[in-house]
Amino acid sequence: MEYSQSKDFLEYVRAKRNRVRRMEEALEESRARAEHVTGLQIGERVQSSNKSSIDATLAAIEEEAGRLEEAQKDLACDIDKARDLINLVRDEAAVWHVLWERYIIGASWNAAAKHTSYGRRTVFRLAKQGYQDLDEKLALRGTPWHSNL
């Protein structure tokens, strides 16, 4: 099944949000494991025979935190683009609300249905309508969907 350009972009942003969330969880697990194993709080340094291995672990955690920070900045940029894209259908309240719940809030389809007070099938229908409306509006503007909105 072929997807519209707007849907592809919105799903890409949603997947990126999930990847960043997993990175955050992994970093927290790494920090907790390092603190448990070493008995130190992150940021503390120790003078012992295994100082080099502890410092290497802390350096790896700091590097992981740097990658996470970069991914969070990139995600924030993409969420802003998704927000601008979805706001193109702001005049269609039901469609806008479904797309907003799914792609900006990050809700599942079931949660989006619950929050919008629509049935799950109606949510899918409204989302499909939204993708089509977004693609049409962008085509009328004569600008590529991925350019600055």
Side-chain angles (χ1 to χ4, degrees):
M1 180 176 188
E2 185 176 16
Y3 294 121
S4 66
Q5 293 173 337
S6 60
K7 180 178 181 177
D8 292 342
F9 175 71
L10 292 171
E11 288 293 336
Y12 166 78
V13 172
R14 183 172 168 74
K16 185 182 280 190
R17 178 196 308 267
N18 291 336
R19 281 192 305 273
V20 168
R21 195 171 293 142
R22 285 191 302 270
M23 288 174 71
E24 290 168 343
E25 292 168 358
L27 179 60
E28 280 304 310
E29 288 176 16
S30 295
R31 285 181 172 159
R33 193 171 29 256
E35 289 172 2
H36 177 73
V37 169
T38 64
L40 299 172
Q41 293 296 321
I42 299 298
E44 287 183 34
R45 300 287 186 217
V46 67
Q47 294 179 348
S48 69
S49 60
N50 64 351
K51 181 181 188 294
S52 62
S53 65
I54 292 171
D55 285 345
T57 301
L58 295 176
I61 289 172
E62 288 173 10
E63 183 179 322
E64 190 177 340
R67 284 192 305 270
L68 173 59
E69 184 179 333
E70 197 62 36
Q72 287 170 328
K73 288 177 186 175
D74 190 40
L75 175 62
C77 216
D78 284 343
I79 287 175
D80 286 343
K81 288 179 184 178
R83 184 177 291 122
D84 292 342
L85 181 66
I86 291 170
N87 280 334
L88 291 176
V89 292
R90 183 78 177 173
D91 56 333
E92 302 167 45
V95 169
W96 178 86
H97 197 191
V98 167
L99 294 178
W100 191 268
E101 285 289 329
R102 175 75 175 166
Y103 297 107
I104 304 304
I105 304 297
S108 67
W109 287 117
N110 288 336
K114 183 178 178 182
H115 293 147
T116 59
S117 300
Y118 295 116
R120 186 175 160 94
R121 290 176 62 184
T122 302
V123 166
F124 286 130
R125 183 182 53 76
L126 290 169
K128 183 177 179 181
Q129 178 186 340
Y131 306 138
Q132 291 169 347
D133 292 349
L134 287 171
D135 290 339
E136 287 172 11
K137 287 184 182 209
L138 290 172
L140 288 174
R141 292 172 99 188
T143 58
W145 67 274
H146 54 75
S147 68
N148 291 334
L149 297 169

